[in-house]
Amino acid sequence: MSNLFIKKYSDETLKSVSNLIFNIENPLHSISLSADFLKNETLSEKAQNEIYKIIKKESSDILNFINEVLNTIKSNRKEKNDISLDEKKYSYKDVESISELVHDIKNPLCSLILSAELLKKGTLNKKNKNEIYSIIQESSENILNFVNEVLNTIRSNKPKEKVDINLEISERLKELGNLLKEKNIKINLNFGENIFIKGFITDIKRVFDNLISNAIKYNKENGKINIKTFKTKKSVSIEIKDTGIGISESDIKHVFDKFYRAKTVKNSNTSGTGMGLYITNKIVKSHNGTIKLTSKLDKYTKFKINLKNHQILIP
């Protein structure tokens, strides 16, 4: 698929596809994990119903997002206008390619939602249930494999770019402005000068989205978030520290594990899939960096990212 995919889509389309795909990757992992749990025959009826709810909710959220993209495309198709997606303008030709790819995700997703609805009714015999379990598992795996193939193709064929770390953090804070206002959280910025790296800009944005949104979600009312960037001859460093609920010492060693959610996070009644920090860590490592966490219950949580010398880009 890789060579055909790259020839078919322009560079701008690939960037747009990357942004669109990132919006659905986390809930897809949640669906896939839930589908795996369904194979467990010892699950209680209550546990099964909870899994159906997760599958239905995450699938519906993705479908709503996809329909929003498709409706935007459809409303401009007759005039063949350029349109805006992800706050960027794309040519009609590129948009048609995006539409085709999104449809490839939508079809198995509809099958998955229908299957979850059938299970929820509770009128199926064991044989029919097992058949639907297989449909759910196969559909979720197909979508996830497709999404991963697209993302891997994009990354392997896209050169790294000059990334302004301070600018990307500032942009994320603007986007999350409403959440900050809701909890009356104060932001303290301490930016070093000329903090640039060479990397994949969409991935770097995602790292800051995850870390800053977590610092807001798990913070207290009238709390603070301190963000610091600096560099040495050998590295660029980013520190993000909040005044939130904190993470216990026993949880700290697991927070970067796939699907792991700390006890304090679960008790906060805040939704999540346990994929955010796993993906963040994966992205940082792909940029030859490290991410470390320090925390104290009911006091603070601090993440520190270090990117090594050969990732630094001198302006």
Side-chain angles (χ1 to χ4, degrees):
M1 174 184 170
S2 298
N3 290 335
L4 287 174
F5 185 84
I6 292 303
K7 287 178 182 177
K8 188 174 182 180
Y9 301 111
S10 70
D11 289 342
E12 283 303 308
T13 303
L14 290 177
K15 287 179 184 178
S16 179
V17 167
S18 179
N19 291 334
L20 293 172
I21 293 294
F22 277 140
N23 281 307
I24 66 175
E25 188 184 14
N26 276 10
L28 276 176
H29 279 289
S30 179
I31 292 168
S32 182
L33 178 66
S34 300
D36 282 340
F37 277 131
L38 284 175
K39 292 186 293 185
N40 186 347
E41 295 184 358
T42 62
L43 281 177
S44 66
E45 187 175 337
K46 183 180 179 182
Q48 287 180 359
N49 287 332
E50 287 301 313
I51 290 174
Y52 303 153
K53 287 178 186 177
I54 292 171
I55 292 173
K56 179 71 187 307
K57 181 187 180 300
E58 299 289 11
S59 300
S60 297
D61 286 348
I62 297 172
L63 189 60
N64 289 337
F65 172 74
I66 285 173
N67 283 334
E68 188 178 335
V69 172
L70 291 175
N71 288 335
T72 303
I73 292 170
K74 185 178 179 181
S75 64
N76 288 271
R77 182 171 273 139
K78 287 183 180 179
E79 294 79 15
K80 296 188 176 181
N81 292 332
D82 294 350
I83 71 167
S84 294
L85 290 172
D86 295 328
E87 300 181 351
K88 295 181 182 179
K89 285 191 175 181
Y90 299 95
S91 71
Y92 174 74
K93 182 180 176 182
D94 285 345
V95 166
E96 284 300 298
S97 297
I98 295 169
S99 175
E100 185 180 327
L101 184 139
V102 169
H103 270 293
D104 285 338
I105 298 171
K106 182 177 180 179
N107 292 335
L109 193 63
C110 289
S111 172
L112 202 154
I113 292 173
L114 178 61
S115 298
E117 283 287 356
L118 288 172
L119 284 173
K120 194 176 177 182
K121 290 180 180 178
T123 57
L124 300 171
N125 60 36
K126 187 175 180 180
K127 182 182 177 182
N128 289 335
K129 275 188 176 182
N130 287 335
E131 287 175 355
I132 292 178
Y133 291 163
S134 297
I135 291 171
I136 289 176
Q137 192 171 16
E138 186 177 344
S139 295
S140 63
E141 284 178 359
N142 284 344
I143 302 170
L144 195 55
N145 288 340
F146 176 72
V147 165
N148 285 334
E149 189 172 353
V150 170
L151 291 175
N152 289 336
T153 302
I154 290 167
R155 289 186 180 111
S156 63
N157 288 273
K158 187 174 68 171
K160 289 183 177 179
E161 309 165 76
K162 179 179 179 180
V163 183
D164 185 333
I165 295 296
N166 293 344
L167 177 64
E168 293 306 326
I169 291 172
S170 298
E171 290 297 317
R172 303 292 74 71
L173 289 171
K174 284 180 185 177
E175 291 172 5
L176 296 165
N178 288 334
L179 291 176
L180 290 166
K181 286 180 183 177
E182 280 179 20
K183 298 183 80 169
N184 194 32
I185 293 172
K186 183 181 178 182
I187 300 292
N188 297 316
L189 297 176
N190 184 3
F191 285 163
E193 292 186 5
N194 298 324
I195 308 296
F196 294 91
I197 66 160
K198 189 176 182 182
F200 297 117
I201 193 164
T202 307
D203 285 355
I204 297 300
K205 285 180 179 179
R206 191 166 193 196
V207 166
F208 295 141
D209 271 335
N210 284 337
L211 294 181
I212 296 172
S213 62
N214 279 354
I216 297 170
K217 280 194 295 184
Y218 305 119
N219 213 326
K220 301 168 186 173
E221 297 284 338
N222 304 309
K224 296 178 182 179
I225 299 175
N226 300 316
I227 302 176
K228 181 180 180 182
T229 64
F230 57 96
K231 66 181 179 181
T232 66
K233 290 181 179 180
K234 294 185 177 181
S235 68
V236 157
S237 297
I238 304 104
E239 293 180 357
I240 299 175
K241 182 179 180 180
D242 65 58
T243 56
I245 59 177
I247 300 171
S248 70
E249 194 172 331
S250 60
D251 279 324
I252 285 176
K253 58 186 176 183
H254 296 294
V255 292
F256 297 114
D257 294 348
K258 189 186 286 189
F259 302 120
Y260 189 82
R261 300 191 78 212
K263 290 177 184 176
T264 48
V265 169
K266 290 178 183 177
N267 294 338
S268 70
N269 294 319
T270 305
S271 63
T273 63
M275 286 298 295
L277 291 178
Y278 167 77
I279 291 170
T280 295
N281 186 39
K282 195 173 176 183
I283 290 171
V284 171
K285 284 184 176 179
S286 75
H287 286 73
N288 299 302
T290 59
I291 179 169
K292 292 184 178 180
L293 163 65
T294 54
S295 186
K296 189 171 183 180
L297 278 175
D298 206 37
K299 294 290 183 181
Y300 72 89
T301 296
K302 183 172 87 169
F303 288 93
K304 182 176 181 179
I305 296 172
N306 282 313
L307 298 171
K308 295 177 184 177
N309 186 44
H310 60 282
Q311 291 296 128
I312 299 174
L313 209 151
I314 306 301

